[in-house]
Amino acid sequence: MIKAIKFVGVPVTDQQRALEFYTAKLGFRVITDQPFDDNQQWIELGIGLSGTGIALFTPPEQENRIGTFTGVSLVADDVTRTARELADKGVKFVQEPKKADWGTSAIFADPDGNQFVLSSG
């Protein structure tokens, strides 16, 4: 029986640049960073106390996924404050925090243009 999501893949053009962004700006932690093949590392990152993480990895022939909307939604206790803190670190927001009946959300992009939702729990 399926129990959880371990990680989701985020395709990137430059793994080291992406690693710097996700760790220094977003505060993710390195779980694994090891050689995968002649072209890429396998980089898996943890997010806060969550058991779910991301893998900075581009499968062969999936380069067209780089710079798209990921469908990944990240949770913050205070979206507005978190968005401000991330923006102060240089994170680009393509949608500023917006309140709705169900909560608050914003959308930011990584250096490759991959977009993520930041939302309230």
Side-chain angles (χ1 to χ4, degrees), residues 25-84:
K25 296 188 185 232
L26 300 184
F28 294 3
R29 68 186 183 290
V30 176
I31 294 173
T32 303
D33 184 354
Q34 61 187 8
F36 181 80
D37 60 22
D38 291 339
N39 300 314
Q40 293 191 78
Q41 297 283 105
W42 180 258
I43 302 173
E44 201 171 319
L45 304 176
I47 304 168
L49 299 176
S50 172
T52 303
I54 65 167
L56 301 176
F57 182 80
T58 307
E61 300 181 24
Q62 296 296 310
E63 294 82 6
N64 63 337
R65 292 179 46 221
I66 298 170
T68 62
F69 184 78
T70 64
V72 174
S73 183
L74 303 166
V75 177
D77 290 330
D78 184 331
V79 172
T80 302
R81 185 184 77 225
T82 301
R84 188 175 338 108

Side-chain angles (χ1 to χ4, degrees), residues 76-77 79-80 95 97-106 118-121:
D77 290 330
V79 172
T80 302
Q95 177 191 297
K98 191 163 94 176
K99 291 185 180 185
D101 292 340
W102 55 266
T104 303
S105 68
L118 179 65
S119 65
S120 51

Side-chain angles (χ1 to χ4, degrees), residues 8-30 43-48 53-57 66-68 70 72 74 86 89 91 108-116:
V8 294
V10 177
V12 297
T13 57
D14 181 327
Q15 287 183 301
Q16 291 309 307
R17 178 182 70 175
L19 180 61
E20 174 68 20
F21 173 83
Y22 285 93
T23 56
K25 296 188 185 232
L26 300 184
F28 294 3
R29 68 186 183 290
V30 176
I43 302 173
E44 201 171 319
L45 304 176
I47 304 168
I54 65 167
L56 301 176
F57 182 80
I66 298 170
T68 62
T70 64
V72 174
L74 303 166
L86 293 175
K89 292 180 179 182
V91 175
F108 70 89
D110 73 4
D112 280 307
N114 296 309
Q115 294 182 13
F116 299 83

